């Protein structure tokens, strides 16, 4: 018989906790949620106060059976899932499904996996918090209703297999609005004048002093007039201004600030940060990683003081108690910090070590002294016009927290680097080296990174710590957003110089607009956003989404009844869904570009079955009439920015390149990108190398031969006894292919060529199947079954993601 059964969400957490508890405790994992809403009828009894209909997940039935058996034998069952709403819901589901009894079931929570925290939790058990469960349940039900009701509208009115989400669709709206700001932005030119001076210090050393003219010039004519006025000028130091200043450390990490800083400093995606943080938490290295709080426990403050004193001295210590500014902070956690502050380095994977080091430095720095700085402005006046140039520098008088850590920013426009200035006095003469007027251009609004999007969502009160990562991952998986880097474009700019009283001009080039790991809305994301904005303005309203989060908080505090909150939203929402289905027009983002000069037919762009495309000619009502021509948009082309000329070029494809082996070679663009077709076979063009509009016959032949070589290497052996039987070479090694099914070969088969027909048939009969690709699976099912299977697969993937997030 089991004396004590402890149930946690993940095996890693179970393994860590087992080390702290004695032999009387058995620790088991539920592997995340054990049940979810069923698919039929939304899994919600709408007429009965939105009562949820839960079912045990298929992949959890074995786990549930084992836990039921152990729970029945145990004297006491301890449910130790995380202390947030999601964790509380897991605890409640376990209690319900395992049919636990209140008298021998105890709920324990802790925000760090250390022996003292675990033992303290055992000594202070509590009941399952129904309010927290209801808050999680309300979020799950509301999101299910929004997604399941709006998605079919999108299928009918925009494009099949689309979906919507309460938080995700609003996040996409942010990206779409920013993208349109960028499209509409027109850069304005201006000139900035910088002077280079020589200064001779008292010891005779000559140093360079760079100073900037504080005003900006709008035109070249103004610049030339100014430079003319500076000819024959003598310069001297007219004023020196020194200002002491201090710089304070950033607060300890919350979930969102950790996601932002890990993106800036380590290049992590939001989902990657949470996955690595989850492992650090489960290994007992950091405190709970889903939190809005910046507070540190008194024990942590004492440990920080001791560590800073030991490493840097008492003058570097300044204990601070930070206050959470976010009114929607939902959990009474600590900030994210190392469980043991005297442990600067941990063992583990590279990313775990890097993220832990970031958390350790941020935590320690938050309790260190302010940095003391001195900012100096040196003004240099010209004798001919009285205008002044300003040189700015900054000196660190006391480094304080900067000795350990400095927070990064999302500022893309760049700031002038502060430099160490030479020693000068008022009225000291300075010698002009040159004056340089450089043409600059105003910056367009920056595109969002994952980090800056998280920051914006938090500012607007949209979502909570546990939702940022899945939200950003979901919008990318749905094809509404892509994260990628893009090359900039070449731009010319003017430079006007004044040196030795001579004015010279030159034109230079620069690369502008380059993007690194930014979020771009796709055409389908923009069309869907427009449709939802028009027909579901309430759901897409930033304030509505933030207000819903506040209502979830009120439910968690017991101030609001969850099904009343859902009912208040649902009834008008459902009416709007019905109205939109019946009365709204189909939306494809159609945009007429003009007429084709050769045929006089209209050219337009829109969303088609396989994505954004151009159309030559209108769709005729008469079936006998000539059908329009279609062409897919190329990478980098978009419905809102493509020009008529660019669209006309698309219809130059397919291009006939000539003959190879007496057969035509054709280049075209298909559903999966540009390709070369020859003798009924296809070879893809290389991304970023081959342009379908420019590729010639010799290059096409190279691609054809590369494809042939790859196909030859894939084939190992065929059999006369049955042409459907082949031995092929795949990504993971040799395998048997038979009647559209694949079968793994044992690792001890060194040479697959020696296998006979009988050997292969035996493997097929007895051996395990190789995983079938999605492409192969789709060929074996009807269209209806394929859709069902894809939906099921998506659900499983989402479940898996949720499980990983809760581990």
């Amino acid at each position: 018989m089991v004396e004590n059964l402890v149930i946690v969400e993940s095996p890693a957490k179970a393994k860590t906790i087992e080390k702290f508890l004695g032999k009387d405790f058995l620790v088991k994992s539920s592997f995340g949620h054990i049940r979810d809403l069923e698919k039929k009828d939304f899994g919600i009894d709408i007429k009965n106060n939105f009562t949820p209909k839960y079912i045990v997940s298929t992949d959890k039935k074995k786990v549930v059976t084992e836990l039921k058996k152990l729970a029945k034998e145990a004297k006491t069952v301890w449910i130790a899932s995380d202390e947030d709403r999601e964790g509380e819901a897991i605890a409640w589901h376990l209690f319900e499904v395992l049919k636990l009894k209140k008298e021998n079931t105890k709920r324990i929570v802790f925000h760090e996996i250390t022996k003292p925290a675990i033992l303290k939790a055992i000594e202070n058990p509590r009941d399952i918090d129904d309010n927290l469960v209801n808050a999680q349940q309300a979020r799950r039900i509301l999101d299910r209703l929004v997604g399941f009701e709006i998605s079919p509208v999108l299928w009918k009115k925009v494009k099949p297999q689309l979906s919507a989400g309460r938080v995700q669709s609003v996040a996409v709206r942010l990206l779409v609005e920013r993208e349109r700001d960028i499209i509409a932005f027109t850069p304005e030119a201006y000139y900035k004048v910088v002077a280079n001076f020589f200064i001779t210090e008292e010891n005779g050393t000559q140093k360079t002093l760079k100073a900037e003219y504080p005003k900006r010039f709008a035109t070249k004519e103004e610049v030339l007039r100014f430079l003319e006025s500076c000819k024959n000028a003598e310069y001297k130091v007219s004023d020196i201004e020194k200002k002491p200043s201090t710089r304070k450390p950033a607060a300890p990490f919350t979930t969102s600030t950790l996601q932002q800083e890990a993106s800036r400093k380590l290049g992590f995606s939001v989902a990657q940060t949470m996955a690595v943080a989850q492992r650090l938490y489960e290994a007992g290295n950091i405190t709970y990683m889903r939190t809005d709080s910046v507070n540190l426990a008194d024990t942590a403050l004492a440990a920080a003081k001791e560590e800073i004193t030991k490493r840097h001295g008492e003058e570097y210590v300044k204990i601070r108690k930070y206050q959470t500014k976010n009114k929607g902070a939902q959990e009474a956690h600590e900030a994210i910090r190392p469980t043991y502050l005297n442990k600067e380095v941990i063992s583990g994977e590279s990313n775990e070590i890097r993220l832990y080091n970031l958390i350790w430095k941020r935590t320690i720095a938050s309790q260190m002294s302010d940095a003391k700085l001195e900012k100096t402005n040196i003004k240099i006046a010209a004798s001919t016009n009285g205008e002044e140039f300003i040189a700015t520098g900054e000196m660190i008088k006391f480094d304080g927290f900067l000795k350990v850590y400095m927070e990064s920013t999302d500022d893309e426009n760049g700031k002038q680097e502060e430099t160490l200035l030479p020693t000068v006095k008022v009225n000291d003469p300075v010698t002009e080296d040159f004056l340089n007027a450089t043409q600059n251009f105003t910056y367009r609004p920056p595109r969002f990174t994952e980090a800056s999007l998280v920051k914006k969502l938090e500012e607007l009160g949209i979502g909570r710590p546990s939702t940022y990562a899945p939200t950003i991952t979901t919008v990318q998986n749905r094809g509404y957003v892509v994260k990628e880097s893009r090359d900039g474009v070449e731009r010319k700019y003017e430079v006007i110089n004044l040196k030795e009283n001579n004015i010279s001009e030159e034109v230079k080039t620069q690369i502008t607009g380059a993007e690194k790991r930014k979020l771009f809305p796709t055409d389908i994301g923009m069309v869907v956003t427009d449709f939802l904005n028009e027909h579901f303005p309430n759901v897409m309203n930033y304030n509505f989404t933030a207000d819903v989060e506040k209502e979830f908080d009120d439910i968690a505090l017991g101030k609001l009844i969850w099904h009343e909150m859902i009912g208040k939203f649902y009834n008008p929402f459902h009416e709007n869904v019905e109205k939109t289905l019946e009365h709204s027009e189909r939306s494809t983002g159609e945009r007429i570009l003009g007429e084709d000069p050769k045929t006089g037919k209209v050219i337009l762009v829109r969303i088609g079955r396989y994505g954004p495309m151009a159309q030559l000619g209108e769709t005729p009502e008469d079936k006998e009439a000539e059908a329009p021509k279609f062409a897919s948009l190329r990478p980098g082309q978009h419905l809102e920015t493509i020009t008529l000329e660019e669209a006309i070029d698309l219809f130059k494809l397919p291009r006939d390149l000539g003959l190879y082996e007496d057969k035509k070679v054709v280049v075209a663009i298909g559903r999966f990108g540009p390709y070369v077709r020859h003798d009924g076979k296809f070879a893809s063009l290389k991304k970023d190398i081959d342009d379908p509009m420019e590729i010639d016959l010799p290059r096409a032949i190279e691609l054809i031969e590369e494809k042939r070589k790859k196909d030859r290497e894939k084939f190992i052996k065929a059999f006369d006894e049955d042409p459907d039987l082949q031995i092929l070479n795949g990504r993971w090694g040799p395998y048997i292919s038979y009647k559209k099914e694949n079968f793994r070969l044992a690792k001890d088969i060194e040479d697959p060529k020696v296998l006979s027909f009988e050997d292969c048939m035996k493997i097929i009969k007895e051996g395990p199947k190789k995983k079938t690709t999605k492409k192969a699976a789709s060929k074996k099912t009807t269209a209806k079954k394929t859709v069902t299977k894809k939906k099921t697969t998506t659900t499983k993937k989402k479940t898996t993601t949720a499980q990983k997030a809760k581990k």
Side-chain angles (χ1 to χ4, degrees):
M1 177 178 283
V2 181
E3 186 75 20
N4 293 279
L5 173 65
V6 181
I7 305 175
V8 297
E9 308 101 309
S10 74
K13 188 175 178 182
K15 188 176 179 181
T16 306
I17 290 175
E18 271 182 334
K19 296 185 296 185
F20 304 134
L21 299 174
K23 60 181 180 179
D24 293 333
F25 287 82
L26 175 65
V27 185
K28 286 289 181 179
S29 170
S30 69
F31 296 87
H33 276 283
I34 58 171
R35 66 177 183 173
D36 195 9
L37 298 172
E38 64 179 29
K39 296 297 179 186
K40 185 179 178 182
D41 297 326
F42 299 174
I44 302 164
D45 187 350
I46 294 174
K47 294 180 180 178
N48 187 20
N49 285 335
F50 304 96
T51 303
K53 302 174 188 176
Y54 292 110
I55 58 169
V56 175
S57 310
T58 305
D59 60 335
K60 293 300 178 63
K61 288 183 178 178
K62 188 176 178 181
V63 174
V64 169
T65 301
E66 181 190 12
L67 292 176
K68 272 186 177 179
K69 183 175 180 295
L70 292 171
K72 194 173 182 181
E73 296 172 354
K75 286 187 178 180
T76 306
V77 178
W78 306 79
I79 304 179
S81 51
D82 292 337
E83 61 175 325
D84 60 4
R85 297 172 191 174
E86 204 72 29
E88 206 70 18
I90 289 175
W92 178 74
H93 285 299
L94 284 167
F95 186 88
E96 294 288 317
V97 174
L98 303 183
K99 294 182 170 36
L100 301 178
K101 298 175 182 177
K102 207 164 186 179
E103 55 266 25
N104 71 331
T105 302
K106 298 182 179 181
R107 170 82 170 112
I108 57 173
V109 294
F110 37 84
H111 68 271
E112 63 183 35
I113 304 179
T114 60
K115 189 171 183 177
I118 302 300
L119 296 179
K120 184 179 179 181
I122 293 286
E123 292 171 3
N124 298 278
R126 63 168 174 79
D127 293 331
I128 292 172
D129 190 328
D130 291 336
N131 291 327
L132 291 180
V133 174
N134 288 336
Q136 187 276 342
Q137 193 164 242
R139 177 188 291 277
R140 185 76 184 92
I141 290 171
L142 183 61
D143 289 347
R144 170 65 69 90
L145 290 170
V146 170
F148 273 42
E149 293 227 354
I150 293 182
S151 296
V153 179
L154 295 177
W155 302 344
K156 187 174 180 181
K157 299 296 183 179
V158 182
K159 184 176 175 287
Q161 298 180 338
L162 296 178
S163 57
R166 180 182 59 86
V167 177
Q168 296 92 328
S169 295
V170 174
V172 176
R173 179 187 171 185
L174 280 169
L175 297 173
V176 169
E177 289 179 346
R178 178 61 57 85
E179 190 68 20
R180 288 195 170 128
D181 287 343
I182 292 169
I183 291 171
F185 178 77
T186 302
E188 295 181 3
Y190 65 92
Y191 291 82
K192 180 173 73 173
V193 179
V194 174
N196 213 57
F197 297 109
F198 292 129
I199 287 183
T200 304
E201 295 185 316
E202 289 182 354
N203 59 7
T205 304
Q206 190 178 65
K207 289 191 176 180
T208 300
L209 178 64
K210 188 176 181 180
E212 188 174 310
Y213 185 61
K215 298 177 184 176
R216 299 288 183 260
F217 297 101
T219 65
K220 182 177 177 179
E221 289 71 23
E222 291 175 336
V223 173
L224 290 172
R225 282 198 297 271
F226 176 75
L227 294 181
E228 284 287 346
S229 72
C230 292
K231 285 183 177 180
N232 301 310
E234 294 181 353
Y235 297 90
K236 68 176 181 178
V237 176
S238 58
D239 188 27
I240 299 173
E241 185 181 65
K242 293 186 178 181
K243 288 183 179 180
S245 64
T246 59
R247 192 176 297 173
K248 297 181 183 297
F253 280 130
T254 62
T255 300
S256 67
T257 55
L258 176 64
Q259 291 168 347
Q260 293 168 50
E261 196 72 342
S263 174
R264 299 175 190 128
K265 278 188 160 62
L266 308 179
F268 285 5
S269 68
V270 170
Q272 183 182 13
T273 298
M274 294 312 293
V276 176
Q278 185 87 36
R279 295 198 295 272
L280 290 173
Y281 168 67
E282 290 171 350
N285 288 317
I286 63 170
T287 53
Y288 193 54
M289 67 289 153
R290 292 188 186 89
T291 175
D292 287 314
S293 175
V294 291
N295 183 50
L296 294 178
D298 290 339
T299 53
L301 294 175
K305 180 178 180 180
E306 182 180 349
E307 194 65 20
I308 296 165
T309 303
K310 183 174 69 176
R311 289 172 179 268
H312 308 295
E314 288 186 6
E315 69 272 21
Y316 281 89
V317 177
K318 184 175 182 180
I319 298 301
R320 296 174 171 85
K321 288 197 174 184
Y322 294 89
Q323 296 294 319
T324 303
K325 295 180 181 179
N326 183 2
K327 295 179 181 179
Q330 67 182 37
E331 327 295 0
H333 298 150
E334 274 192 87
I336 303 169
R337 64 166 174 84
T339 48
Y340 303 102
L341 284 167
N342 60 352
K343 189 177 180 181
E344 183 179 1
V345 181
I346 61 165
S347 58
E349 297 178 0
S350 170
N351 285 344
E352 293 173 11
I353 293 171
R354 294 170 69 205
L355 189 63
Y356 178 85
N357 182 253
L358 189 69
I359 295 169
W360 185 89
K361 285 182 175 179
R362 176 84 164 221
T363 308
I364 289 291
S366 73
Q367 303 306 314
M368 292 180 69
S369 302
D370 295 344
K372 295 179 181 178
L373 312 170
E374 184 178 78
K375 189 171 184 177
T376 303
N377 290 332
I378 299 176
K379 293 182 179 179
I380 299 171
S383 61
T384 54
N385 53 23
E387 299 288 353
E388 291 181 325
F389 292 82
I390 300 175
T392 302
E394 194 172 58
M395 181 179 291
I396 298 175
K397 294 292 188 179
F398 175 67
D399 53 3
F401 75 92
L402 294 176
K403 199 177 190 74
V404 174
Y405 180 84
M406 179 64 189
E407 185 180 28
S408 299
T409 69
D410 289 314
D411 183 17
E412 293 186 344
N413 299 340
K415 295 180 180 179
Q416 183 179 352
E417 291 186 8
E418 306 291 359
T419 56
L420 190 62
L421 302 176
T423 304
V424 292
K425 300 189 299 295
V426 174
N427 293 322
D428 278 357
V430 298
T431 306
E432 173 201 326
D433 180 15
F434 62 83
L435 269 62
N436 176 293
T438 303
Q439 186 181 32
N440 289 269
F441 298 86
T442 51
Y443 289 98
R444 56 162 176 69
R447 286 188 173 89
F448 284 105
T449 61
E450 287 195 2
S452 59
L453 181 58
V454 165
K455 185 177 181 181
K456 188 66 177 178
L457 290 171
E458 187 179 39
E459 287 174 0
L460 294 172
I462 298 170
R464 288 294 181 262
S466 61
T467 65
Y468 298 135
T471 294
I472 292 174
T473 300
T474 298
V475 297
Q476 292 179 65
N477 290 342
R478 287 176 175 171
Y480 296 153
V481 175
V482 293
K483 183 174 77 170
E484 59 188 23
S485 298
R486 294 183 182 176
D487 296 331
V489 295
E490 194 172 82
R491 179 171 66 188
K492 293 181 179 180
Y493 67 99
E494 293 182 317
V495 179
I496 307 173
N497 297 300
L498 172 63
K499 188 173 178 67
E500 297 177 352
N501 290 325
N502 291 317
I503 295 176
S504 62
E505 300 177 23
E506 58 182 322
V507 176
K508 295 185 176 182
T509 58
Q510 62 183 179
I511 300 298
T512 182
E515 306 279 9
K516 188 175 182 181
R517 295 198 302 272
K518 295 293 182 66
L519 297 175
F520 297 83
T522 62
D523 283 322
I524 191 65
M526 298 178 88
V527 171
V528 167
T529 298
D530 289 342
F531 181 85
L532 294 177
N533 274 337
E534 180 181 354
H535 298 288
F536 298 95
N538 186 34
V539 173
M540 296 294 284
N541 186 288
Y542 296 134
N543 291 333
F544 164 77
T545 312
D547 289 342
V548 166
E549 297 295 345
K550 293 174 185 175
E551 289 180 324
F552 290 151
D553 296 340
D554 288 340
I555 294 169
L557 295 171
K559 296 179 179 178
L560 190 62
I561 298 173
W562 72 269
H563 59 79
E564 291 181 358
M565 173 259 183
I566 300 289
K568 183 181 176 183
F569 160 80
Y570 179 74
N571 294 325
F573 167 72
H574 180 69
E575 288 177 11
N576 192 24
V577 169
E578 296 293 332
K579 177 184 173 184
T580 304
L581 275 170
E582 187 174 349
H583 299 293
S584 66
E585 297 293 326
R586 185 170 176 80
S587 177
T588 61
E590 182 178 302
R591 177 170 160 252
I592 296 175
L593 303 180
E595 290 185 353
D596 177 26
K598 289 184 178 180
T599 64
K601 293 180 179 180
V602 69
I603 293 182
L604 57 89
V605 288
R606 63 181 177 85
I607 295 294
R609 182 179 178 186
Y610 299 118
M613 66 175 193
Q615 178 176 322
L616 174 60
E618 296 186 21
T619 305
E621 296 182 6
D622 183 1
K623 293 183 180 180
E624 301 295 325
E626 183 182 358
K629 292 182 180 179
F630 304 98
S632 297
L633 267 58
R634 298 174 62 189
Q637 293 181 331
H638 300 284
L639 296 181
E640 298 192 12
T641 56
I642 188 172
T643 64
L644 176 63
E645 292 72 22
E646 290 169 338
I648 290 171
D649 282 342
L650 294 175
F651 292 102
K652 293 177 181 177
L653 296 173
R655 289 171 58 220
D656 190 342
L657 301 182
L659 297 177
Y660 178 54
E661 298 173 345
D662 296 325
K663 292 175 182 174
K664 275 188 177 183
V665 177
V666 176
V667 62
I669 297 179
R671 182 181 177 187
F672 302 108
Y675 64 86
V676 170
R677 184 177 72 245
H678 175 259
D679 194 18
K681 295 184 179 179
F682 301 85
S684 296
L685 272 61
K686 305 292 184 186
K687 188 179 180 181
D688 300 328
I689 297 177
D690 300 312
D691 187 334
M693 303 302 298
E694 299 178 3
I695 188 171
D696 56 14
L697 183 60
R699 175 57 181 158
I701 292 172
E702 283 182 27
L703 294 172
I704 292 167
E705 290 300 331
E706 282 180 21
K707 181 68 164 57
R708 286 177 175 177
K709 182 182 177 184
K710 190 175 180 181
D711 289 343
R712 285 195 300 270
E713 290 172 350
K714 180 179 179 182
F715 179 81
I716 296 175
K717 189 175 182 179
F719 298 88
D720 295 333
E721 294 91 333
D722 191 334
D724 287 335
L725 181 66
Q726 290 182 318
I727 302 177
L728 302 174
N729 202 5
R731 184 180 179 186
W732 311 113
Y735 66 94
I736 293 172
S737 175
Y738 185 61
K739 293 185 177 179
K740 297 183 180 179
E741 290 189 356
N742 301 329
F743 302 85
R744 290 192 294 264
L745 294 180
K747 291 182 180 179
D748 57 359
I749 299 176
E750 296 181 1
D751 186 4
K753 291 180 182 179
V754 303
L755 293 175
S756 66
F757 177 78
E758 290 73 19
D759 294 334
C760 291
M761 296 309 294
K762 185 179 179 181
I763 292 171
I764 290 169
K765 186 177 180 181
E766 300 176 359
K769 289 182 182 179
K770 189 182 189 309
K771 286 185 179 179
T772 308
T773 63
K774 288 184 181 179
K775 189 174 180 182
S778 66
K779 292 179 181 177
K780 293 187 287 182
T781 56
T782 63
K784 186 175 180 180
K785 287 181 179 177
T786 304
V787 173
T788 305
K789 184 167 184 178
K790 284 183 179 178
K791 286 181 182 176
T792 306
T793 305
T794 304
T795 305
K796 286 181 179 177
K797 283 182 179 178
K798 287 180 180 177
T799 305
T800 304
T801 304
Q803 291 166 0
K804 287 180 180 177
K806 287 307 300 171
K807 282 183 184 178

